[in-house]
């Protein structure tokens, strides 16, 4: 579902991604860990068209992200084509980014109606199913400010799912939550994984990574330092930098 081949991203002179290579199979969960500033968010943002890679190749579902390739040369995609690619990717951020003046239901139906031209009745039906799936059917008419952080994040997940994405990206989805609210969000994510969603999750929740991830990737300094099945990597990190990072977490 995702292939990153030596992906590089600079901000001016700052080299943030220095050749990230990894693959995520359809239906699998990859957890991405690493110190602050190592480029985890930038990598997710490249997958989701929020940043443009400077070098290397990034593919989602077999398509080059943001470019077309002809005769070995890359051409930027027309914005309409880029938008079409982006529609199929859901993203959930640390800060839930719900529309504050819209109800929960309105938040969830907005993109399907505006972007996918789904009819309102159908969008509402699907939104209610999704809110039920994240345990918030009763909050459909509440406003974000009336919800806990954990509830807001679950709405954000439902909102992303309303676009029927083939890939979900999570950028530290529980980092802004009070500890007692983390579990309910991870629970929803775990259900989603069990249902076969392909997911890339940046997280510091090693319990989740160990239990749910198929692949754990440790990034540092803009490269993948080490990757493998979570239990193996957590029990036997081979690289000094991985060991140092994990010892600070646990
Ligand atoms: P992580 O998510 O692993 O903490 P980020 O991808 O957010 O790391 O950031 C990696 C580096 O890139 C940091 O040094 C950050 O300051 C820098 N950076 C991220 N976005 C931008 C930007 N839009 N402009 C300039 N520098 C940026
Ligand atoms: Mg980040």
């Amino acid at each position: 579902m995702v292939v990153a081949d030596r992906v590089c991203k600079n901000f001016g002179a700052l080299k943030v991604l220095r050749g990230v290579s990894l693959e995520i199979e359809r239906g699998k969960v990859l957890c991405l860990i690493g110190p602050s500033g190592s480029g985890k968010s930038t990598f997710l943002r490249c997958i989701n068209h929020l940043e443009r890679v400077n070098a290397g190749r990034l593919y989602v579902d077999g398509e080059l992200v943001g470019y077309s390739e002809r005769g070995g040369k890359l051409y930027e995609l027309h914005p309409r084509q880029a938008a079409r690619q982006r529609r199929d990717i859901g993203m959930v951020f640390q800060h839930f980014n719900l529309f504050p003046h819209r109800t929960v239901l309105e938040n969830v139906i907005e993109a399907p109606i505006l972007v996918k031209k789904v009819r309102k009745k159908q969008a509402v039906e699907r939104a209610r199913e999704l809110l039920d799936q994240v345990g918030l059917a009763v909050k459909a008419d509440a406003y974000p400010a009336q919800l806990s952080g954990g509830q807001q994040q679950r709405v954000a997940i439902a909102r992303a799912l309303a676009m029927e994405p083939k890939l979900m990206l999570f950028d530290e989805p529980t980092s802004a939550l009070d500890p007692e609210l983390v579990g309910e969000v991870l629970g929803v994510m775990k259900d989603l994984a069990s249902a076969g969603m392909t997911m890339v999750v940046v997280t510091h929740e090693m319990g989740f990574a160990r239990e749910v991830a198929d692949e754990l990737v440790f990034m540092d300094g803009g490269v993948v330092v080490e990757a493998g099945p979570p239990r193996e990597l957590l029990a036997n990190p081979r690289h000094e930098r991985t060991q140092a990072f994990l010892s600070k977490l646990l």
Side-chain angles (χ1 to χ4, degrees):
M1 181 59 79
V2 180
V3 174
D5 178 19
R6 291 164 290 175
V7 167
C8 296
K9 175 66 192 175
N10 318 320
F11 293 108
L14 184 66
K15 293 183 172 151
V16 174
L17 302 179
R18 299 162 172 261
V20 173
S21 296
L22 55 79
E23 296 190 7
I24 307 157
E25 275 176 56
R26 192 182 305 277
K28 302 283 183 186
V29 177
L30 181 146
C31 280
L32 190 53
I33 59 173
S36 178
S38 57
K40 306 180 297 296
S41 295
T42 302
F43 181 64
L44 290 193
R45 292 169 60 83
C46 287
I47 297 176
N48 200 25
H49 298 254
L50 295 169
E51 305 289 355
R52 183 167 293 152
V53 309
N54 297 113
R57 299 274 199 276
L58 188 54
Y59 299 87
V60 171
D61 203 12
E63 277 188 48
L64 197 55
V65 174
Y67 296 92
S68 62
E69 193 169 12
R70 268 168 280 144
K73 272 187 149 185
L74 294 187
Y75 300 88
E76 269 181 37
L77 283 187
H78 188 279
R80 204 180 315 119
Q81 287 173 299
R84 180 191 52 73
Q85 286 187 338
R86 203 171 164 220
R87 267 182 8 182
D88 295 335
I89 304 170
M91 186 148 176
V92 173
F93 300 88
Q94 180 174 350
H95 299 284
F96 333 115
N97 301 344
L98 298 175
F99 306 116
H101 303 298
R102 306 247 162 94
T103 66
V104 163
L105 187 79
E106 288 165 354
N107 266 278
V108 178
I109 64 175
E110 165 118 3
I113 291 176
L114 280 184
V115 181
K116 283 184 111 180
K117 313 294 178 201
V118 173
R119 289 169 60 184
K120 180 157 183 199
K121 182 164 176 288
Q122 203 185 327
V124 167
E125 248 170 54
R126 180 66 182 136
R128 291 197 186 280
E129 282 173 16
L130 288 167
L131 288 172
D132 193 41
Q133 186 181 324
V134 302
L136 289 172
V138 295
K139 297 292 185 188
D141 299 318
Y143 285 88
Q146 297 169 310
L147 304 180
S148 73
Q151 291 171 329
Q152 289 186 53
Q153 192 60 301
R154 286 186 281 148
V155 174
I157 294 171
R159 183 177 60 173
L161 293 174
M163 290 293 283
E164 314 294 350
K166 55 189 174 192
L167 170 67
M168 283 284 284
L169 309 174
F170 294 86
D171 195 356
E172 301 201 32
T174 60
S175 295
L177 299 177
D178 292 333
E180 76 272 20
L181 304 178
V182 168
E184 64 192 56
V185 172
L186 294 180
V188 164
M189 291 167 60
K190 191 177 160 191
D191 291 345
L192 199 54
S194 306
M197 179 61 78
T198 311
M199 299 166 47
V200 185
V201 184
V202 174
T203 187
H204 300 294
E205 296 291 337
M206 289 305 121
F208 177 85
R210 183 183 286 114
E211 199 187 339
V212 180
D214 299 288
E215 176 96 343
L216 184 58
V217 172
F218 173 66
M219 239 173 98
D220 194 10
V223 294
V224 171
V225 173
E226 188 165 353
R231 280 164 210 276
E232 269 173 43
L233 198 140
L234 291 171
N236 277 315
R238 277 167 290 148
H239 286 261
E240 211 174 295
R241 282 192 282 173
T242 321
Q243 290 164 7
F245 176 76
L246 290 175
S247 70
K248 274 182 248 162
L249 268 192
L250 304 172

